[in-house]
Structure formats: structure tokens, C-alpha cells
Amino acid sequence: MTDIKLIVTDMDGTFLNSNYEVSPDFPAIYEELKKRNILFIPASGRQMPGITHYFKAIENEIGFIAENGAYVIYKDEELFADELENSFVQEIIQTIREIPGARAVLSAKKKAYYESDDEKFINYFTRYYTENQKIDDLTEEVDDNVFKIAIYHPEGSEENLFPYLKHFKNKNLEVVVSGQYWVDIMNRNINKGKALEIIQKKMNILPSETMVFGDYMNDITMLEKSKYSYAMENAHSSVKEVASFSAPSNNDFGVVEIINEYLKSK
């Protein structure tokens, strides 16, 4: 294996276990990565504060890919921030309102905005979107930099959301199934792969020097930017088809296990 210079991992279903916990072995592993000048980057569909709070002790030492690639920072420096036009926001929200059971989150730089009164949904999504605010109408323009719209369905996203939203791909937008219950809509060409490319170019790191871990369809573009791409044991079948290698499940903290194996081999 080539010497790795960059390790990128998805969060939910990949780096975190089902209880949203980080492996207790990670701090020691990170110290070893730091000694070897290997950059560690969490990459998620979550908003930035929903990722950074897991890494408070090292937040200013590493980079982050948030909002499925729409927002990228490295050592507190903003490398990339996208913005979704309000005309698209209005049209998408109106469509979502017509899908039975669907709930929308407007994910922006300052906060995530929602209009639903569904307490079960609110309790669920605020785990991922820690900075949030209820507003009366999501079609009203907010004074914020909107990155994406995240759409939730309690009975599954592939069957109950994607078929009704995929036509937005014809409007220069990305529509991606980002989790079992989530679909994300962003501007065209906004994805984790493009975000990873931005970091690789800035740090002069090649795909052959990059290790990536993922479990769901929104991870595929970044797996494609890495020679050492790992699908978790619990990953969606389409992710396993793309990845070059497999890792133990997120509940076995497979990411940390594979990184540890690599470090021991060098």
C-alpha cells in the first residue's frame, strides 16, 4: 500500500456507531496520524456544527466536509461554500409539502430551518442539525447562506421520496439518497467527491495517497476519488459495488480498526 497522506470518513453509519458514538480508541489513533502528518477529514451530510462538536479538541487542526460537500473548511479556513437559489427552494418546498409523510429541513450556514410541528421528527433531526430554528414558512427567503434541502421520510427515502423528487435533476440540481430516511437536494456538481478534490488540490495529495470510508449513496463520489476506498460491512449494496475494499461495520468501529491496521503495517 502507498503511504497514505489523507483519510476521509463519512460520519453516520460509518465513523459513528448506531448510538452516535466515536470509538474510544480514536484519540490515540489520531495522535499517531498527527505524528505521521496524515490529515484526517470527517465528511457528512450534516451541517458543520453537527460534525465539529465530535472533534472539539482537534477542531482547528483538521478539515471538515459538511452539507454533502456544499461547505468545506480546513483549519478554520473556509475553502468552499455553495448557495442554493431561493427560487429553487420555493419550488422544492412546495413539492415536498405534497408528499405524504415528508418533512423538510433548509440547511444553511448559520442554522437549519424547519416548519414542521411533528415532535417526533424534530427530536430526530436535531441530532444531526444541532443549530436549528423553527420558522412559519420555508418558502420565505431566510437571511442565511442556504446549502441544501434535506428531506426526511419515516418509512424510507428510496421508495417514498426519491421518485417524487428525482425530476429536479433536470433543473441543474443534485438529488441524492443520503441515508435510509433522507434525500438531499443541492446545486449540480455539489457532492462529497468534489469537496474531497478541493482538499486534495489544496494539500497536493493524490487519490493514490487517499483512504476513504463510506456507507451510503452520497459517499460514492468521494470513494471514486480514492485508490483505497472502503465500504462498511453495513453499507448499501451500491456502495459495496464501487468500493475497492471492505471494512467492519460501524458498530464494530470498522474505520478505526482499518486505520489501526494500516498504521501497524507501516
Side-chain angles (χ1 to χ4, degrees):
M1 184 182 276
T2 311
D3 283 351
I4 300 298
K5 294 182 180 178
L6 172 62
I7 295 175
V8 184
T9 179
D10 171 55
M11 291 290 287
D12 298 289
T14 303
F15 185 69
L16 303 176
N17 69 9
S18 297
N19 293 321
Y20 308 101
E21 296 166 332
V22 175
S23 166
D25 296 329
F26 176 70
I29 292 287
Y30 173 74
E31 285 307 311
E32 192 58 38
L33 294 176
K34 192 175 171 182
K35 280 181 200 170
R36 302 191 195 196
N37 292 315
I38 299 172
L39 179 61
F40 179 80
I41 304 274
S44 178
R46 291 177 181 234
Q47 67 175 167
M48 193 64 76
I51 314 171
T52 56
H53 82 268
Y54 285 101
F55 303 97
K56 282 297 176 191
I58 59 172
E59 186 177 347
N60 62 353
E61 299 177 0
I62 64 176
F64 297 91
I65 295 170
E67 308 286 3
N68 269 329
Y71 192 23
V72 184
I73 60 174
Y74 172 68
K75 291 188 175 179
D76 298 329
E77 176 194 352
E78 186 178 290
L79 301 186
F80 180 74
D82 191 53
E83 186 161 12
L84 195 59
E85 286 180 22
N86 191 56
S87 59
F88 284 138
V89 173
Q90 291 177 340
E91 191 177 351
I92 295 163
I93 294 300
Q94 285 162 359
T95 303
I96 294 165
R97 287 172 177 170
E98 294 170 9
I99 304 171
R103 303 284 182 263
V105 178
L106 207 62
S107 195
K109 186 180 282 190
K110 296 175 194 171
K111 291 182 179 179
Y113 303 91
Y114 65 100
E115 62 184 10
S116 174
D117 292 317
D118 180 347
E119 283 190 24
K120 193 173 180 182
F121 164 67
I122 294 165
N123 290 335
Y124 178 72
F125 98 87
T126 51
R127 291 176 185 169
Y128 308 98
Y129 297 89
T130 53
E131 299 294 323
N132 55 76
Q133 181 183 331
K134 186 177 188 299
I135 59 176
D136 292 333
D137 185 354
L138 288 180
T139 63
E140 299 272 329
E141 192 163 1
V142 295
D143 181 24
D144 207 341
N145 194 81
V146 177
F147 296 124
K148 70 170 189 183
I149 298 174
I151 308 100
Y152 168 84
H153 199 289
E155 293 169 22
S157 52
E158 280 185 80
E159 306 82 10
N160 299 290
L161 292 176
F162 187 74
Y164 305 101
L165 298 168
K166 64 182 180 182
H167 69 276
F168 283 107
K169 287 185 176 186
N170 301 326
K171 302 198 173 191
N172 220 30
L173 297 171
E174 294 282 354
V175 183
V176 62
V177 177
S178 58
Q180 187 177 353
Y181 305 107
W182 294 94
V183 164
D184 287 349
I185 301 180
M186 297 88 57
N187 283 323
R188 175 63 47 85
N189 296 324
I190 298 300
N191 54 61
K192 291 183 181 182
K194 181 182 176 181
L196 172 52
E197 224 172 14
I198 289 168
I199 290 169
Q200 285 171 325
K201 284 179 182 174
K202 179 176 176 64
M203 306 304 295
N204 198 26
I205 294 173
L206 300 170
S208 60
E209 300 167 318
T210 306
M211 181 182 284
V212 173
F213 298 88
D215 77 310
Y216 234 82
M217 281 95 104
N218 60 328
D219 298 321
I220 288 173
T221 55
M222 70 174 182
L223 291 166
E224 291 172 338
K225 302 290 180 187
S226 161
K227 181 177 179 180
Y228 301 102
S229 56
Y230 285 81
M232 308 307 290
E233 187 183 300
N234 52 287
H236 191 280
S237 57
S238 61
V239 178
K240 291 180 178 180
E241 286 172 18
V242 170
S244 299
F245 304 96
S246 60
S249 80
N250 66 315
N251 283 326
D252 292 324
F253 293 120
V255 171
V256 169
E257 186 174 322
I258 295 293
I259 295 172
N260 193 35
E261 283 177 12
Y262 167 74
L263 293 172
K264 285 179 176 178
S265 73
K266 292 292 177 178

